[in-house]
Amino acid sequence: MNADLRFLLHMNLRQLFLQHVAQTSTAPLALEIVKAEGCELFDASGKTYLDLIGGISVANTGHRHPAVVKAIKDQVDAYMHVMVYGEFVQSPQVRYAQLLTQHLPPSLNSVYFTNSGAEAVEGAMKLAKRITGRTEIVGFVNSYHGSTQGALSLIGSEYWRNAYRPLLPGINHLNYNSFKDLQFITERTACVIAETVQGEAGVIVPENNWLRAVHDRCKEVGALFILDEIQAGFGRTGKLWGFENFDVIPDILLLGKALGGGMPLGAFIADKSLMDHFTDNPVLGHITTFGGHPVCCAAGKAAFEVLLRQQWDVKQKVALFTSLLIHPQIKAVRSFGLWMAIEFNDFDACKKVIDHCIQRGVISDWFLFASNCLRISPPLVITEQELRQSAAIILEAIENNP
């Protein structure tokens, strides 16, 4: 196929994308990715990109890890979708749930697989109401938990909520890291849902044992303590689970993104005594057609096994990257594990750097609640050479866009 024909086919596909695939912004990147491997993406023209966001913390073990690809192929050869969740004993679900709970505290022993992180949030909200008989839910300013109606009600920004009101009643948003606001967690509160580390706020870390204080306040008033580790889980913070950094154990743990090893998968995990509230009054208290899809569970289990086998030296990589990112226009570099926010004066300055980086073959993005910050959440397998290359291009982008 000659170059002119390839170009025409590419343009036709781009036009079809814009016409027939629902758009979420007025200016999509519209990169036509045809292959991904490790930390690299390849577009239709043959251009190579270093992926510094890993599909938004999805590809922790890299794109298309051989063990994950093999697990997918093996499972497809056996069976794909066979029946609604919970009715058939499906080995990939059972084995993955067993493996996850073997590496979690004893109280997190029952896994409900979902299609996505947002659905995990929805299920946890229902479960908390069912267990406590209460309706009030506490979230936090600048939190992000997904875009479905319940999860959207929890989002800590009126900019994203306002266009879709009325939303769920009884949602209170407190200030993250505020000890004073903990007084608003009361005997009316069914649950508190917090990100272990706030992602879309620009990697905001709980300070001065604040997360422990939230946990203790929940115990005091009988509310469930729910941690959203949809981004923070699976080694992103330098430990297997983000909560391990803060001496707390949630009543319900929310997972997604890297959970599926590149396939769509979410989960909420609790003690069986809590999860059993979904079994009666009403029966089928929470159901899903594709949650825990066998191919997704096979892929996720394979990726998790890779993560457990290999020790990712996250601290060393972060230290290297931050040592290279020194420039007068960089106001701050916040990090918690291999999860970073490079802060600029404003969105325009950040966007110019992002655009230049993409032109030079480095993929990054901004944060929903911190649009002046550059997102860094690459696959944990990223090499020191790739980090040096990325840092050099980011600094070049800053110099070329004063």
Side-chain angles (χ1 to χ4, degrees):
M1 186 183 298
N2 63 43
D4 289 340
L5 182 56
R6 282 199 303 269
F7 177 77
L8 288 173
L9 288 173
H10 166 68
M11 289 304 296
N12 183 53
L13 189 61
R14 186 180 189 278
Q15 290 165 357
L16 291 172
F17 163 75
L18 294 172
Q19 288 174 2
H20 300 299
V21 177
Q23 305 295 304
T24 56
S25 78
T26 56
L29 289 176
L31 296 176
E32 187 185 340
I33 302 302
V34 297
K35 186 175 174 60
E37 197 84 38
C39 293
E40 294 183 320
L41 307 177
F42 305 87
D43 73 12
S45 71
K47 184 175 179 178
T48 303
Y49 301 85
L50 261 175
D51 184 5
L52 289 190
I53 56 177
I56 314 294
S57 301
V58 167
N60 285 17
T61 55
H63 295 283
R64 294 185 67 253
H65 191 284
V68 175
V69 173
K70 181 179 185 302
I72 291 171
K73 289 180 177 178
D74 288 348
Q75 184 57 44
V76 168
D77 283 344
Y79 63 89
M80 294 168 64
H81 177 73
V82 289
M83 178 58 172
V84 68
Y85 179 91
E87 294 300 321
F88 289 1
V89 178
Q90 300 183 52
S91 175
Q93 277 183 3
V94 175
R95 296 303 182 197
Y96 195 15
Q98 179 189 33
L99 184 63
L100 285 167
T101 57
Q102 286 172 344
H103 292 87
L104 285 165
S107 60
L108 296 172
N109 54 53
S110 181
V111 182
Y112 193 113
F113 287 114
T114 63
N115 301 294
S116 66
E119 190 192 346
V121 173
E122 300 282 349
M125 292 170 75
K126 286 175 61 178
L127 185 59
K129 290 181 176 181
R130 178 72 178 82
I131 291 167
T132 64
R134 304 172 184 179
T135 58
E136 180 183 278
I137 294 176
V138 166
F140 293 93
V141 174
N142 286 342
S143 62
Y144 180 80
H145 302 286
S147 292
T148 49
Q149 287 282 297
L152 178 64
S153 303
L154 279 173
I155 284 182
S157 172
E158 185 61 18
Y159 173 81
W160 272 272
R161 294 193 305 257
N162 186 56
Y164 303 102
R165 289 194 176 278
L167 295 169
L168 288 184
I171 307 289
N172 294 331
H173 291 91
L174 309 184
N175 291 301
Y176 199 83
N177 274 326
S178 169
F179 286 88
K180 181 181 178 181
D181 279 7
L182 300 187
Q183 65 182 305
F184 299 110
I185 302 170
T186 71
E187 286 78 5
R188 296 186 302 274
T189 306
C191 64
V192 175
I193 303 181
E195 292 171 275
T196 309
V197 173
Q198 280 198 318
E200 296 304 323
V203 190
I204 304 299
V205 179
E207 301 170 349
N208 302 319
N209 288 321
W210 176 79
L211 205 60
R212 181 73 200 183
V214 178
H215 168 278
D216 292 348
R217 179 61 176 169
C218 287
K219 296 302 177 190
E220 181 182 344
V221 301
L224 292 181
F225 177 54
I226 301 176
L227 283 181
D228 178 339
E229 296 222 352
I230 292 166
Q231 285 198 68
F234 296 95
R236 178 59 55 190
T237 66
K239 292 183 180 288
L240 188 57
W241 312 114
F243 64 80
E244 293 178 305
N245 296 281
F246 303 106
D247 189 32
V248 294
I249 296 173
D251 295 306
I252 303 176
L253 178 66
L254 308 179
L255 298 177
K257 296 195 181 292
L259 176 69
M263 296 290 283
L265 192 64
F268 56 105
I269 305 177
D271 190 82
K272 189 175 186 301
S273 64
L274 301 181
M275 202 71 82
D276 279 350
H277 283 77
F278 277 151
T279 62
D280 61 8
N281 194 30
V283 68
L284 304 176
H286 192 66
I287 54 176
T288 170
T289 299
F290 292 112
H293 191 282
V295 179
C296 300
C297 285
K301 178 175 177 288
F304 190 46
E305 289 170 338
V306 169
L307 193 68
L308 294 172
R309 283 197 304 269
Q310 301 186 30
Q311 297 296 316
W312 314 111
D313 195 354
V314 168
K315 287 185 178 179
Q316 183 174 331
K317 291 176 180 179
V318 172
L320 170 65
F321 205 44
T322 52
S323 72
L324 298 171
L325 293 170
I326 298 173
H327 193 281
Q329 289 188 43
I330 296 178
K331 294 183 64 179
V333 177
R334 290 189 297 278
S335 68
F336 202 81
L338 202 51
W339 194 12
M340 307 170 69
I342 304 172
E343 184 177 346
F344 297 97
N345 282 326
D346 52 37
F347 171 72
D348 289 339
C350 184
K351 186 64 165 61
K352 287 177 181 178
V353 172
I354 291 170
D355 291 344
H356 185 95
C357 284
I358 292 173
Q359 290 173 6
R360 293 280 284 112
V362 172
I363 301 289
S364 187
D365 200 359
W366 44 277
F367 294 89
L368 288 180
F369 310 130
S371 62
N372 63 323
C373 295
L374 188 76
R375 181 194 302 269
I376 306 291
S377 57
L380 304 183
V381 297
I382 193 168
T383 65
E384 291 191 3
Q385 180 183 351
E386 289 169 330
L387 287 170
R388 290 182 186 276
Q389 178 185 343
S390 301
I393 290 174
I394 290 170
L395 294 175
E396 174 193 296
I398 296 170
E399 286 293 328
N400 281 272
N401 294 281

